[in-house]
Amino acid sequence: MNILEMREIYKAFPGVVALDHVTLELEKGEVMALLGENGAGKSTLMKILSGAYHADEGQIILEGRQISGYTTQEAIDMGISIVYQELNNIPDISVAENLFLNNLPTKGPAKTIDYKKLYADSEALLKRVGLNNVDPKANLGSLSVAEKQLVEIAKAVSKNVKILVMDEPTSALNDAETDNLFELILKMRDEGVSIVYISHRMSEIYRVADSAMVMRDGKYIAKVKVADTTTDDLVAYMVGRKIDDMYPKRSVTPGKEVFAVEHLTTNRLKDISFHIRAGEVVGLFGLMGAGRSEIASCIVGMKYHQTSEMRINGEKYVPISPSNALKHKITYVPAERKTDGLFLALTVRENITISNLDLFTKHGKMDLKKEKKIADEWIKTLRVKTPKSETIIESLSGGNQQKVAVAKSLITDPELIILNEPTRGIDVSAKAEIYTLINELCAQGKAVLMISSELPEIMSMSDRIYVICEGRMTGEVQKADFTQERLVKYAIGETD
C-alpha cells in the first residue's frame, strides 16, 4: 500500500526546469534510496514534499488524500520530516530545547516550561539514536558535528513521523555511529515508518534500502529493487552511461619536496611531522575528532599552534593567515563548504574568482570580461551545473557548490593543495571528475594533501597515507602496504 504518491510533479526556476513531470511512489514501511547526480532534482522534489517549495504542476497524495499548498510546519504536523545534510539547529540553546523547539512541554495555568519532562523526554530520544552520553542540558554548540547530525535525526523522530527523508545522513558519522543509525532506520521501517534515503555512498544503499528510485536531469529514470540490481546498474541509470574506472590510474614519480612540517603541536596535536613531494597525493586518515582538520587549519594559518617548523619549496614558512598561505601558493578546500568555503550570497563567478582578484585588476580597475571568461572556463572544466555564471551559488545543489569551492582554490595556481573531504556530498560521476582533476594536478607537479573519511577513496587515490589518532601520528603506510585493516588499526591507536 502506497503511503505517498507524487504524480507528474513539474517545477521550473528562471532559466532551468528542475523537475520535468516526476512521479514518486513510496510504500508504508519502505526504505527507498533516492539516487541521482547533483542537480538531478532530488532536493527540489523533497523540498516540494516538505512544503518548502510548491510544485507548478502535479499532485501529492498522502495516505489516499490529496494535499497541496501546505507549509513546512503543516508537513511536519502531517508526519513528514526531513533531515537535511546542512544542519538546521540553534547552537546557543540546549540540546533538549533544540529537540522540542516548537513543542516545549508546559505545566500549570501559567503554561511554564516543564523542564523535568523536557529533559526526561530528550534523554529517551537521545538514547534512541545512540547518543547515550549526551547531556540534554548541554548547549548544542558544544557537541561534535556527528552528534549534531544525530540530534537532527532525533528531532525528526520526536514528531510522530510517518515519512522521514534523510539527506546524506552519514556524511559526518564514523563507522560505529553509522551502524547505530542503520539499526535505527531498520527498526523504524519495521514500525511502519517510510524512509527516503539520499546518499552518494553506494555501499550504504545495499545495507539499508529496499528499493532505489533514480533521477537524471530533472526526470524520473527508474525504480528498482535493490536486491535485484548491481552498483554498476545504478550508476549507469544515474549518469546515462557506465563509469569504467572510478579511480583513474596514474604512474607516480615523485619530485622534489614541496612541503614539510615538523613537530607541529597544539593543545590537541602532539608532535606531528610529515612531508609531501611534487606530483604526489598524500592521504591523511583518522577517525572523527582525531585532529586531521586541525592539521590543515594550522598549515594555512587558520588556527594557532604552539610549535612547528614548516617549509614550502625548501624555504621557511610561518603560517600567519589564509591570505598569507595563498601568497606562499598553499590553498585549502575545507570540508564544510557552506560555512567555511563559499560566500553563499555571491554569484558562481564571484566565488570562483574572489581568492585571486589581482589576476583581473589593473590600475585599481577590474577587467570583468576577463574575470567572466576565466570563471566560465572553470565552470566548463568541472562541469558545474548552473544556468549561468551570474547565478547565486546558494541556489546550486551541494555537489555543484563543492565543485565551485574546488575551482575557487585552484584559480590561485597553488603548489600545495589541501583537500578536506573533497567529494563529500558529490555524486559518483562528479567524484570521478574530481579524481581525474587531482591526477592532472599531480601530472603538473602539484602536491596534494587529501583528508578523507572514505577508505576506498583515500586508498585508491593516495601514494602514501599518514594516520592520526587522538592528535598523534600512529603510522605512515606506503601504497604497497595499504589495507583497510592496517589503516583502521592505526586509526584506533594500535601499532605493529
Side-chain angles (χ1 to χ4, degrees):
M1 173 183 170
N2 288 337
I3 189 172
L4 172 70
E5 295 180 19
M6 302 180 74
R7 299 176 181 168
E8 297 290 326
I9 301 297
Y10 179 89
K11 180 68 177 178
F13 298 102
V16 61
V17 175
L19 296 172
D20 189 359
H21 299 96
V22 173
T23 293
L24 176 151
E25 294 183 350
L26 182 66
E27 295 180 9
K28 182 177 175 64
E30 176 185 15
V31 179
M32 184 183 77
L34 183 58
L35 306 178
E37 294 186 88
N38 294 116
K42 307 184 300 295
S43 294
T44 302
L45 187 65
M46 292 301 99
K47 285 179 179 178
I48 288 173
L49 175 62
S50 74
Y53 292 164
H54 292 159
D56 298 332
E57 299 175 17
Q59 296 178 312
I60 301 176
I61 312 295
L62 178 66
E63 296 183 302
R65 181 173 62 91
Q66 184 170 335
I67 56 175
S68 62
Y70 54 89
T71 65
T72 52
Q73 184 57 51
E74 288 169 337
I76 290 170
D77 294 340
M78 290 185 289
I80 301 169
S81 288
I82 296 189
V83 179
Y84 291 104
Q85 182 181 1
E86 310 298 340
L87 301 181
N88 180 27
N89 50 48
I90 304 175
D92 296 327
I93 63 176
S94 72
V95 172
E97 289 165 322
N98 268 277
L99 286 171
F100 292 95
L101 188 59
N102 295 319
N103 191 29
L104 293 169
T106 58
K107 62 181 179 180
K111 299 290 185 182
T112 57
I113 298 173
D114 186 345
Y115 280 103
K116 184 176 181 181
K117 179 173 172 54
L118 173 64
Y119 294 139
D121 291 350
S122 298
E123 190 172 343
L125 266 178
L126 293 171
K127 285 181 178 178
R128 190 174 182 194
V129 298
L131 292 177
N132 299 30
N133 298 321
V134 169
D135 182 357
K137 299 177 185 178
N139 262 25
L140 189 84
S142 66
L143 272 58
S144 69
V145 174
E147 288 169 334
K148 291 175 185 175
Q149 181 81 39
L150 290 169
V151 168
E152 285 294 294
I153 293 167
K155 189 193 302 184
V157 171
S158 73
K159 294 168 180 170
N160 195 25
V161 65
K162 298 176 183 176
I163 298 172
L164 178 60
V165 180
M166 309 179 90
D167 187 359
E168 297 284 352
T170 64
S171 60
L173 305 185
N174 62 31
D175 289 345
E177 292 162 338
T178 298
D179 290 341
N180 289 337
L181 175 62
F182 288 166
E183 287 181 14
L184 174 63
I185 289 173
L186 296 176
K187 182 180 179 182
M188 293 175 69
R189 179 194 66 181
D190 293 342
E191 293 170 353
V193 177
S194 302
I195 296 171
V196 178
Y197 190 91
I198 302 173
S199 178
H200 294 303
R201 296 179 176 178
M202 302 304 289
S203 60
E204 295 182 0
I205 305 305
Y206 285 90
R207 285 187 62 184
V208 78
D210 304 305
S211 63
M213 173 179 155
V214 183
M215 296 178 65
R216 185 171 70 242
D217 297 330
K219 296 183 175 67
Y220 168 90
I221 299 300
K223 182 177 180 181
V224 297
K225 289 184 178 180
V226 169
D228 297 338
T229 191
T230 66
T231 299
D232 288 344
D233 294 333
L234 292 176
V235 170
Y237 282 134
M238 289 166 61
V239 303
R241 65 188 190 281
K242 287 192 174 183
I243 296 180
D244 296 323
D245 196 350
M246 174 64 74
Y247 302 104
K249 302 292 187 295
R250 64 187 170 89
S251 56
V252 180
T253 305
K256 65 174 184 176
E257 178 187 277
V258 172
F259 177 80
V261 56
E262 297 175 2
H263 314 301
L264 174 62
T265 301
T266 70
N267 59 339
R268 291 183 61 206
L269 301 175
K270 308 299 179 188
D271 197 25
I272 300 293
S273 300
F274 63 89
H275 69 280
I276 311 173
R277 294 168 292 185
E280 189 177 36
V281 177
V282 170
L284 201 56
F285 180 71
L287 302 180
M288 188 69 62
R292 301 167 305 165
S293 295
E294 188 161 350
I295 292 171
S297 295
C298 289
I299 293 173
V300 296
M302 291 171 60
K303 189 171 182 64
Y304 169 78
H305 60 276
Q306 295 165 358
T307 60
S308 80
E309 297 174 20
M310 298 191 196
R311 297 186 301 274
I312 183 77
N313 289 322
E315 297 184 1
K316 184 177 180 180
Y317 163 63
V318 179
I320 300 172
S321 66
S323 60
N324 178 257
L326 286 175
K327 289 178 181 178
H328 285 84
K329 296 293 186 179
I330 300 172
T331 191
Y332 177 45
V333 181
E336 300 300 326
R337 54 179 172 263
K338 286 200 172 184
T339 55
D340 301 333
L342 297 169
F343 297 90
L344 297 182
L346 299 185
T347 66
V348 174
R349 167 184 57 81
E350 289 168 325
N351 270 280
I352 290 175
T353 62
I354 198 167
S355 295
N356 201 15
L357 293 178
D358 290 347
L359 185 63
F360 319 105
T361 306
K362 191 173 183 180
H363 305 305
K365 186 177 180 181
M366 286 277 292
D367 185 342
L368 297 179
K369 286 186 178 179
K370 181 179 180 183
E371 183 196 22
K372 184 178 185 305
K373 180 176 180 290
I374 290 180
D376 286 342
E377 287 174 354
W378 277 107
I379 289 170
K380 183 178 180 181
T381 298
L382 294 184
R383 292 179 64 188
V384 178
K385 289 185 178 178
T386 177
K388 53 186 177 180
S389 62
E390 300 308 303
T391 299
I392 300 299
I393 197 165
E394 189 173 21
S395 67
L396 268 58
S397 68
N400 284 298
Q401 289 177 359
Q402 181 75 348
K403 291 181 183 180
V404 173
V406 172
K408 171 174 168 279
S409 292
L410 296 184
I411 197 173
T412 61
D413 190 28
E415 294 190 33
L416 171 64
I417 303 137
I418 305 173
L419 302 171
N420 194 349
E421 304 288 359
T423 64
R424 176 183 290 175
I426 287 184
D427 59 69
V428 289
S429 180
K431 281 184 178 182
E433 292 165 7
I434 293 292
Y435 299 147
T436 298
L437 176 63
I438 290 172
N439 285 351
E440 290 172 356
L441 293 169
C442 288
Q444 297 166 18
K446 311 294 187 185
V448 177
L449 177 64
M450 186 168 76
I451 302 169
S452 177
S453 302
E454 294 193 38
L455 276 168
E457 174 177 87
I458 202 165
M459 290 172 62
S460 297
M461 292 302 299
S462 301
D463 302 304
R464 291 181 293 124
I465 297 175
Y466 291 102
V467 186
I468 310 296
C469 175
E470 296 180 350
R472 297 181 183 274
M473 187 168 288
T474 50
E476 176 189 355
V477 188
Q478 303 294 328
K479 195 169 190 72
D481 299 322
F482 287 176
T483 65
Q484 292 197 14
E485 292 77 13
R486 182 186 294 267
L487 294 175
V488 170
K489 185 172 72 171
Y490 287 161
I492 62 176
E494 295 184 14
T495 56
D496 292 328

